[in-house]
Amino acid sequence: MSFFTVTNLRVNYRKNPLGIDDIRPRLSWVLVSERRGFVQSAYQIEVAYGDDFIAALVWDSGKIESDRNIHIEYTGPTLKSRTRYGFRIRVWDDQGMVSEWSEPSYWETALLVSEEWQATWITAPSSPEDTDHEACDYVRSDFTVSGQIVSARVYATSLGLYRLFVNGEPADETLFNPGFTSYTKRLQYQTYDVTALISEGANTIGCMLGNGWYKGYLAWEGQKELFGASRAALIQLHVTLSDGSEQVIVSDGSWRASTGPLLRSELYHGETYDARLTIDGWSSPGFDDQAWPNAIIHQAPGATIVAQENEPSKVTEVLKPVAVITTPQGDTVLDMGQNMVGWVKFTVNSVAGTVITLQHAEVLDRDGNFYTGNLRSAKQTVTYICRGGGEETYEPYFSFQGFRYVKVTGVPKEQLMEHFVGCVIHTALEPTGSFACSDELVTKLQNNIVWGQRGNFLDIPTDCPQRDERLGWTGDAQVFIRTAAYNMNVVPFFEKWLKDLAADQEPDGRVPHVIPDIPIAGHGSSAWGDAAVICPWTLYECYGDTRVLETQYPSMKAWVEYMRAQGDNEYLWNTGFHFGDWLGLDAKENSYTGATPKDLIATAFYAYSTQLLAKTAAVIGNVEEAEQYRALHERIVSAFRAEFVTPSGRVASPTQTAYVLALMFDLLEEKDRPRTAKMLAENIEENGTRLTTGFVGTPYLNLVLSRFGYTDLAYRLLLQQEYPSWLFSVVQGATTIWEHWDGIKQDGTFWSDDMNSYNHYAYGAIGDWLYRVVGGIDLTEPGYKKIRIQPEFGERLTWADASYNSIHGTIAVAWKRMEGGAFEMNLTIPPNTTAEVFIPEIHREGISESGMPLDQMIGLVRADVNGEGHLLHIGSGSYRFSFIPNTSFRGGIKK
């Protein structure tokens, strides 16, 4: 009997995925063992049709001598479309023992070749009463199943958003399908298991269509139909019967179409639903649709249709209101207690024709009145007209709102608390990280960061979820991605978005400011376009995934070559439009851009992306280009020094962001770095222990301070409660991250109406530092195969707990101060990984583990000592260290 098990089997990061079109899926698993220092020495994978690993075996890898347990590529026979493949895994440890076979998992393929689509695109005919074609479409078809049903799958997509129904029931709980992609180039379809919804005999399939991102309003100039003017659907149902035969039901001109009670639906503006127009049973058998006209065949779009790539969007939590407020102006307002993204679901019992309106807002003004000025043109209003005759429940279909407060009319105040709830909606990413500490405000800050990520990760990484924007801003995504990867499993989410980035990239390599591209947003700015390089590299670092580098390498290279072609010479970037240090506090009056020269920022990111591109080329085996880009990087660094650093080694632009970038990206000579770090620290101190950085400098600020021995100052910045600081908004009552440090000023007034989001995750990038430095969880090999544990202890914190569920398993660090200046640190290192643990104690006898001297510790491979402490090399397992820190230790992220 083995004392280790194989669990948490994944296919392309997902558990039991339904409907994938990857012909080389990658398999991963997690090992469980209480033995310290557990190492896998070999594995075996079996893949079968269904779960019959004897009679229906498809592929047996055999025993493979390897310690890899992530991203093992399927190399068996060519996969078949619409087929479920079960797989199981067993492993051997380094002592030759073999585990039991894991519990089987599976993946199911979708339509692997485009020729398998038999359905045709259909759209609803225009209604004479709906000249603007704003009412949402309803399409339906009846069909009969003759025989016992074994399985049933629907493959569906749309131009616009769609909701699928089978025999009167939703096909599943997913929302906002088919998602937001570069619709003219890439369009996702979804796979639904509707076996339980279909029965022998009469059946019906129905579909609602809304404008969504495809046809609806997008961006801030009131434009709509940026991708197309007509909604359409493509639906194909396969029913497999017990005799082995199959029925295929497809969308075509025989389907019927109509409008219904959903009179208007827009992502920004909300919905209007007249329940008096409800069409009872429209998606169920027996409905008389003879009055409905036939659907119209719609020209197929030119986009490539691909299977769903990321996790779907869903309702992930339901919040009850915490209060009902009557404002000074007399409005009745629900307070959800949390700035959230989603919609309100409610139940009422009113007479027919009663009009209920819900307006959504993030904040109240300083007098306590309902405030929507920062929404700009976005109405965020739901209007519901009651049917009457009993209780009726409503929630929107194709519109989401960003809000904490809801102004309600048409419902008695006393009914609101019990009959209204907030449905939190976002892409259903698996939570992977947690952080808490003894300072309640810092813990609240981390909570706000997570809520900001939840609110802005709705199919794409948006800047904000409430105003007339909600777009995939590249700069925001690249500064936040490392923090995002601690909080949640973000790979499928970003892989999908990065494919759209590559699809929308201009032929010369320019990257649009927003992805998917909205032309009025522009393109080609440094730090924003660098998402093309920084995001794939970060995914590789955090998950050990080389495929994302292989897939994105042409895009990464194109961006670097675009930068190379822009400057007066090929080593400086000193031309074109740049956002600069966006919202930097050292900006001139009436400017959004900080004082750091834009060409300094542009050249710094040019150097950084080129360095990452060289590393990427080396990782994927492109040796020649790796050397070419290493040489280019060296020349860019030399040009940076000649242009932006004085002969004596001083950064010519004395701003916090200039210092931070020069240090973070290693753009200075080694001898000049300590002095520059000191100048950065002095600048912060002279500014009253306050930052002046904007979107570009802030994400790296505390990391740079800690790297160069100023963790104490980094802590003081973190714990600063006065404006500007991370905790200023927390003290003001924020429940998410603000776009501006002073979105609400100390006197209660607002920064502005024109650009003032209260759910904007960019400054939440401090979460990276919280996990890495306060929590002490970092990596020295991609995918956390080799882990670095080095928390740095702030004087005002008495404890901190951090955990991260890596692709190899859970890493956890919990430290606390004990009496007499001692510390206790509890660690968990997952099986099949190793760790370096830094203990800031120079005396070996001053360190104990689980009450035993270090020399008797089980799992210790090696202990190195220097003038600052001990670096312990350990295997997997759970550990409890006690020690008294070396008081001379000043911190530093050791590389």
Side-chain angles (χ1 to χ4, degrees):
M1 178 180 178
S2 61
F3 296 94
F4 51 94
T5 56
V6 180
T7 65
N8 199 16
L9 277 59
R10 303 289 180 111
V11 180
N12 295 353
Y13 299 92
R14 298 164 68 181
K15 294 181 178 180
N16 299 331
L18 180 71
I20 67 172
D21 58 6
D22 184 355
I23 61 174
R24 296 181 295 118
R26 294 159 296 159
L27 311 180
S28 302
W29 57 91
V30 170
L31 298 161
V32 176
S33 173
E34 295 184 2
R35 174 165 65 86
R36 287 186 178 181
F38 178 89
V39 176
Q40 172 190 297
S41 65
Y43 66 82
Q44 182 180 7
I45 302 171
E46 287 187 345
V47 177
Y49 295 122
D51 58 2
D52 187 346
F53 295 97
I54 298 175
L57 188 65
V58 174
W59 177 58
D60 184 346
S61 71
K63 183 179 180 182
I64 305 296
E65 303 287 343
S66 172
D67 68 348
R68 287 185 59 200
N69 62 306
I70 61 172
H71 312 314
I72 308 300
E73 192 170 283
Y74 169 81
T75 58
T78 301
L79 298 177
K80 299 178 181 180
S81 289
R82 301 186 297 105
T83 302
R84 176 166 294 194
Y85 291 91
F87 71 104
R88 62 180 184 175
I89 295 162
R90 63 177 178 175
V91 305
W92 286 258
D93 69 4
D94 57 348
Q95 298 176 11
M97 295 183 64
V98 63
S99 71
E100 300 291 332
W101 285 105
S102 68
E103 289 295 318
S105 290
Y106 67 85
W107 76 88
E108 188 172 307
T109 54
L111 305 175
L112 298 182
V113 292
S114 59
E115 291 75 16
E116 294 178 278
W117 282 101
Q118 303 173 43
T120 55
W121 285 92
I122 59 172
T123 188
S126 298
S127 168
E129 296 81 21
D130 183 24
T131 56
D132 294 330
H133 203 197
E134 290 299 331
C136 292
D137 301 316
Y138 294 66
V139 296
R140 70 182 306 278
S141 181
D142 296 320
F143 61 95
T144 300
V145 175
S146 301
Q148 185 177 354
I149 298 166
V150 175
S151 69
R153 301 288 186 270
V154 176
Y155 306 95
T157 186
S158 65
L159 304 178
L161 298 176
Y162 76 96
R163 294 280 290 275
L164 194 67
F165 299 85
V166 176
N167 292 334
E169 298 294 330
D172 69 4
E173 60 186 2
T174 63
L175 303 170
F176 296 100
N177 290 327
F180 191 11
T181 54
S182 300
Y183 291 128
T184 58
K185 298 150 190 164
R186 288 171 17 87
L187 177 65
Q188 292 188 132
Y189 68 91
Q190 285 69 44
T191 301
Y192 302 86
D193 181 353
V194 295
T195 308
L197 299 179
I198 292 180
S199 57
E200 188 172 354
N203 294 271
T204 302
I205 187 166
C207 181
M208 294 175 63
L209 290 167
N211 287 347
W213 296 281
Y214 181 84
K215 184 181 182 294
Y217 289 92
L218 274 184
W220 48 88
E221 292 189 354
Q223 295 182 351
K224 62 183 301 188
E225 300 181 353
L226 294 182
F227 296 97
S230 298
R231 299 179 290 254
L234 184 71
I235 303 170
Q236 184 163 310
L237 166 63
H238 290 256
V239 181
T240 302
L241 303 177
S242 59
D243 63 2
S245 64
E246 184 177 71
Q247 285 185 241
V248 182
I249 294 90
V250 300
S251 53
D252 58 24
S254 69
W255 286 44
R256 301 288 184 147
S258 179
T259 56
L262 189 51
L263 301 180
R264 189 169 191 264
S265 179
E266 289 285 347
L267 292 172
Y268 293 170
H269 302 315
E271 294 191 351
T272 299
Y273 191 94
D274 188 343
R276 296 171 300 179
L277 304 177
T278 298
I279 309 170
D280 292 324
W282 72 274
S283 62
S284 297
F287 177 77
D288 182 2
D289 63 7
Q290 292 305 301
W292 288 29
N294 286 88
I296 298 173
I297 301 300
H298 188 274
Q299 183 177 357
T304 300
I305 301 180
V306 299
Q308 173 94 21
E309 294 170 327
N310 66 336
E311 300 290 353
S313 297
K314 297 180 179 180
V315 174
T316 62
E317 186 175 355
V318 176
L319 300 181
K320 292 185 177 180
V322 298
V324 178
I325 301 167
T326 301
T327 70
Q329 293 179 345
D331 294 325
T332 299
V333 176
L334 277 173
D335 179 3
M336 302 309 300
Q338 171 65 51
N339 195 5
M340 56 168 281
V341 172
W343 57 49
V344 171
K345 180 179 181 179
F346 58 88
T347 299
V348 293
N349 190 340
S350 299
V351 299
T354 301
V355 178
I356 298 169
T357 62
L358 281 67
Q359 290 180 268
H360 303 76
E362 293 187 290
V363 295
L364 304 178
D365 69 16
R366 64 175 173 178
D367 297 320
N369 288 311
F370 193 72
Y371 169 75
T372 58
N374 70 319
L375 302 182
R376 301 193 304 217
S377 69
K379 295 181 175 62
Q380 286 211 136
T381 300
V382 171
T383 301
Y384 181 81
I385 304 169
C386 294
R387 183 181 191 179
E391 282 195 347
E392 44 196 302
T393 298
Y394 180 73
E395 59 185 320
Y397 288 88
F398 302 122
S399 180
F400 65 87
Q401 288 79 47
F403 66 100
R404 172 173 173 171
Y405 299 98
V406 186
K407 184 170 77 172
V408 183
T409 64
V411 180
K413 180 178 180 179
E414 60 272 13
Q415 295 181 15
L416 296 180
M417 288 291 287
E418 294 300 319
H419 298 287
F420 284 65
V421 294
C423 299
V424 179
I425 299 171
H426 56 88
T427 299
L429 304 179
E430 177 188 7
T432 53
S434 67
F435 175 89
C437 68
S438 57
D439 189 298
E440 293 183 356
L441 293 178
V442 175
T443 300
K444 177 60 175 172
L445 171 65
Q446 165 63 15
N447 190 56
N448 290 1
I449 293 169
V450 172
W451 272 100
Q453 184 170 346
R454 293 175 73 182
N456 282 291
F457 276 33
L458 202 164
D459 202 67
I460 62 168
T462 59
D463 58 326
C464 60
Q466 75 297 92
R467 66 185 180 219
D468 54 0
E469 202 161 341
R470 315 185 193 189
L471 301 174
W473 283 93
T474 50
D476 302 56
Q478 72 89 355
V479 301
F480 187 70
I481 187 171
R482 184 66 187 265
T483 297
Y486 275 116
N487 290 331
M488 301 175 188
N489 177 2
V490 297
V491 182
F493 180 84
F494 272 107
E495 281 184 330
K496 173 244 185 189
W497 184 74
L498 286 168
K499 289 176 182 176
D500 287 311
L501 186 153
D504 281 341
Q505 211 164 350
E506 298 289 340
D508 64 0
R510 278 178 296 174
V511 174
H513 298 331
V514 302
I515 301 296
D517 182 24
I518 306 298
I520 65 169
H523 47 69
S525 172
S526 61
W528 274 248
D530 291 282
V533 177
I534 294 171
C535 291
W537 181 259
T538 302
L539 295 180
Y540 165 68
E541 282 200 310
C542 294
Y543 300 93
D545 189 348
T546 58
R547 185 180 288 187
V548 69
L549 297 183
E550 294 163 354
T551 300
Q552 297 301 132
Y553 184 76
S555 168
M556 299 166 77
K557 179 180 175 180
W559 171 246
V560 169
E561 289 299 334
Y562 171 76
M563 292 189 284
R564 188 177 192 173
Q566 297 311 301
D568 293 339
N569 64 61
E570 62 177 310
Y571 310 126
L572 291 173
W573 192 4
N574 52 14
T575 60
F577 170 81
H578 300 280
F579 288 104
D581 193 24
W582 189 246
L583 302 185
L585 295 175
D586 50 6
K588 294 180 180 179
E589 188 74 21
N590 298 319
S591 172
Y592 289 131
T593 304
T596 306
K598 292 181 180 180
D599 55 346
L600 183 153
I601 294 171
T603 304
F605 274 91
Y606 176 23
Y608 184 49
S609 282
T610 303
Q611 182 185 45
L612 296 185
L613 182 63
K615 291 181 178 180
T616 297
V619 169
I620 65 176
N622 194 332
V623 177
E624 182 178 348
E625 290 195 352
E627 186 53 43
Q628 291 174 5
Y629 286 112
R630 274 194 291 267
L632 175 60
H633 172 254
E634 291 174 2
R635 290 192 288 270
I636 298 169
V637 171
S638 295
F640 181 94
R641 292 171 183 171
E643 184 74 12
F644 303 112
V645 182
T646 69
S648 64
R650 183 185 296 262
V651 177
S653 177
T655 68
Q656 290 181 16
T657 291
Y659 293 142
V660 165
L661 295 183
L663 292 167
M664 186 72 189
F665 298 161
D666 293 330
L667 300 175
L668 305 177
E669 294 185 30
E670 288 275 3
K671 64 181 180 61
D672 297 325
R673 296 173 189 177
R675 182 176 70 162
T676 303
K678 184 172 184 290
M679 295 172 73
L680 170 63
E682 289 172 348
N683 183 301
I684 295 169
E685 296 277 16
E686 290 166 3
N687 199 45
T689 317
R690 288 174 171 81
L691 49 76
T692 59
T693 49
F695 272 36
V696 168
T698 301
Y700 305 121
L701 178 58
N702 273 24
L703 291 171
V704 165
L705 290 173
S706 289
R707 176 181 170 186
F708 288 95
Y710 295 94
T711 294
D712 56 340
L713 178 57
Y715 264 108
R716 283 189 284 135
L717 271 180
L718 171 70
L719 297 172
Q720 171 68 261
Q721 296 182 23
E722 300 297 322
Y723 165 80
S725 67
W726 286 283
L727 295 186
F728 176 74
S729 64
V730 178
V731 172
Q732 297 283 94
T735 60
T736 45
I737 302 299
W738 292 353
E739 182 175 17
H740 293 270
W741 296 112
D742 58 344
I744 300 175
K745 298 179 183 294
Q746 289 173 308
D747 64 359
T749 59
F750 299 124
W751 189 89
S752 71
D753 276 356
D754 66 331
M755 197 182 73
N756 198 15
S757 164
Y758 297 99
N759 194 348
H760 220 90
Y761 56 63
Y763 288 141
I766 186 63
D768 182 8
W769 184 82
L770 293 177
Y771 278 104
R772 276 208 246 184
V773 178
V774 182
I777 298 175
D778 204 353
L779 54 83
T780 60
E781 288 186 10
Y784 294 86
K785 178 67 170 174
K786 190 172 184 180
I787 302 156
R788 177 82 180 200
I789 303 294
Q790 185 178 332
E792 300 184 24
F793 314 117
E795 290 185 5
R796 287 168 54 184
L797 295 188
T798 58
W799 61 267
D801 289 353
S803 69
Y804 171 59
N805 188 16
S806 77
I807 196 165
H808 283 99
T810 300
I811 307 163
V813 179
W815 61 261
K816 62 181 178 180
R817 296 178 186 272
M818 311 296 286
E819 293 183 3
F823 276 74
E824 182 176 286
M825 183 166 66
N826 292 280
L827 309 179
T828 299
I829 308 300
N832 209 34
T833 67
T834 60
E836 299 174 350
V837 181
F838 182 78
I839 305 289
E841 165 59 77
I842 59 175
H843 302 293
R844 192 180 185 93
E845 62 273 14
I847 304 171
S848 66
E849 192 285 308
S850 297
M852 303 295 289
L854 200 58
D855 291 339
Q856 300 178 28
M857 174 183 163
I858 298 173
L860 178 64
V861 177
R862 189 175 81 249
D864 301 327
V865 63
N866 58 31
E868 294 183 333
H870 278 75
L871 186 65
L872 309 181
H873 302 263
I874 64 174
S876 64
S878 297
Y879 300 86
R880 178 169 55 87
F881 291 101
S882 299
F883 55 91
I884 298 178
N886 173 21
T887 56
S888 65
F889 173 63
R890 297 187 63 206
I893 300 176
K894 304 301 186 292
K895 301 256 179 160

